[in-house]
Amino acid sequence: IQQTPLFSLRRVLIIAGNTFTHLMRMKVFYFLLVFVMVAIAVNFLKLPHTAGPESVGAEELRMLKSPMIGVMKLFAIILAIVATALLIPRDLEDRTLYTILSKPVPRLDYLIGKLLGVLILIFVGLTVMTILLDAVLYFRIQSILESWTQAADMLVLQEQWTDADRTEGRRELLSHGVTWSLPAAMFAIFLEAAIIAALALLVSTFSSSTLFTVVVSSLCDIIGQFIGDGRDHWFRESRMA
C-alpha cells in the first residue's frame, strides 16, 4: 500500500492557490479601490503645514506618507485576521474540509496551504499599494521640488543658507520621496501580518466561531502593539523606585 507523504510542496501550493482564488472571489480587494481613491485625492490636495519654506516640502511628503503607510498596515492586519478566521469555519460549513482531508491530505499540508494563500493575498495587496504610493510620491515631489528650489535659492541670496546647506536640504527632501525604505517598511508590515495570520489560524483550529477568532487575534495584536511601551514604562518606574 502506497503511503501518503507527511508533507508535499505540490499539495501545499495547490491548496494555497485555491485559497487565494477563493479569497479573491470574496472581493476583499475592494479595500484597494478605497486606497487608490484616497491616494489620488491626497495627491491633488494642498496639505496644511506649519514649517518654513525651506522645510515645507519635507513636511508635506511626511504628511502624505504617514497616513498612507498607516492604511497599508491597517489593510494587512485586518485582512490577516478576517480572511484567516473565515477559512476553516467556511470549509466546515461547506463540508469541503472533510472532502480534502479524505483524499487523504495531511492536516499539516492543509493548514500550511491555507496560511500561504492568505499570505500571498496580503503580499499582492501590499505590493500594489506600495507601487501606487511610489507613483504618488514621485509626481508629488516633482511639483514640490520646483517651489522648494526657488525658496532655497532665495535663502542663499539672502546669505541665510550656503551652497552646502542647499545641497543637504535637497538631499533630505529627496530622502522623503521614492526610496528603498518604503519597500522595507512594506516587508516589515507583511511580516507582522504573517504572524497575526498564523495566530488567527491557530485559534481557528480549536474554535469554530469566526467572531471568537477575530476578537482573540485582534486583542493579541493590540497587546503586541503596546507591549513595548508597557515594558519601557515598567523599566522607567523600576529605576525611579
Side-chain angles (χ1 to χ4, degrees), residues 74-108:
L74 182 64
F75 163 82
I77 296 300
I78 291 178
L79 186 59
I81 294 176
V82 176
T84 309
L86 289 172
L87 291 178
I88 297 181
R90 178 155 295 191
D91 283 354
L92 284 171
E93 182 181 351
D94 298 339
R95 306 191 68 83
T96 57
L97 176 62
Y98 305 107
T99 305
I100 294 174
L101 296 181
S102 63
K103 291 295 184 180
V105 174
R107 290 171 173 80
L108 178 63

Side-chain angles (χ1 to χ4, degrees), residues 5-13 106 109:
L6 295 178
F7 178 80
S8 171
L9 181 60
R10 180 174 176 273
R11 285 197 301 259
V12 169
L13 293 178
D109 288 0

Side-chain angles (χ1 to χ4, degrees), residues 27-217:
K27 301 178 176 61
V28 294
F29 272 169
Y30 278 174
F31 190 90
L32 282 179
L33 179 60
V34 177
F35 180 85
V36 170
M37 296 174 63
V38 171
I40 294 175
V42 170
N43 185 44
F44 290 101
L45 290 177
K46 185 67 176 178
L47 299 175
H49 56 82
T50 57
E54 69 280 2
S55 58
V56 60
E59 184 173 350
E60 281 195 37
L61 291 174
R62 282 195 297 268
M63 294 177 65
L64 175 64
K65 290 174 66 174
S66 296
M68 293 295 100
I69 293 178
V71 171
M72 292 170 64
K73 183 175 181 178
L74 182 64
F75 163 82
I77 296 300
I78 291 178
L79 186 59
I81 294 176
V82 176
T84 309
L86 289 172
L87 291 178
I88 297 181
R90 178 155 295 191
D91 283 354
L92 284 171
E93 182 181 351
D94 298 339
R95 306 191 68 83
T96 57
L97 176 62
Y98 305 107
T99 305
I100 294 174
L101 296 181
S102 63
K103 291 295 184 180
V105 174
R107 290 171 173 80
L108 178 63
D109 288 0
Y110 172 78
L111 294 176
I112 294 178
K114 288 293 183 180
L115 179 61
L116 183 60
V118 174
L119 296 184
I120 292 174
L121 183 67
I122 296 173
F123 184 81
V124 171
L126 288 175
T127 301
V128 172
M129 288 191 287
T130 301
I131 294 174
L132 176 63
L133 183 54
D134 280 339
V136 171
L137 288 173
Y138 175 79
F139 289 108
R140 189 59 177 269
I141 202 171
Q142 299 306 315
S143 62
I144 290 175
L145 196 57
E146 182 178 354
S147 59
W148 181 91
T149 302
Q150 295 176 358
D153 291 342
M154 183 63 65
L155 292 174
V156 172
L157 291 176
Q158 295 173 357
E159 298 184 352
Q160 298 181 22
W161 268 18
T162 62
D163 290 337
D165 293 332
R166 178 171 55 187
T167 302
E168 178 64 21
R170 180 184 175 88
R171 185 194 64 79
E172 182 183 357
L173 176 64
L174 293 177
S175 68
H176 294 285
V178 181
T179 61
W180 287 107
S181 62
L182 187 58
M186 184 273 292
F187 185 67
I189 293 173
F190 172 75
L191 292 180
E192 181 179 351
I195 295 174
I196 296 299
L199 177 63
L201 186 64
L202 173 64
V203 175
S204 65
T205 56
F206 59 81
S207 172
S208 59
S209 173
T210 302
L211 180 61
F212 178 81
T213 303
V214 170
V215 171
V216 172
S217 303

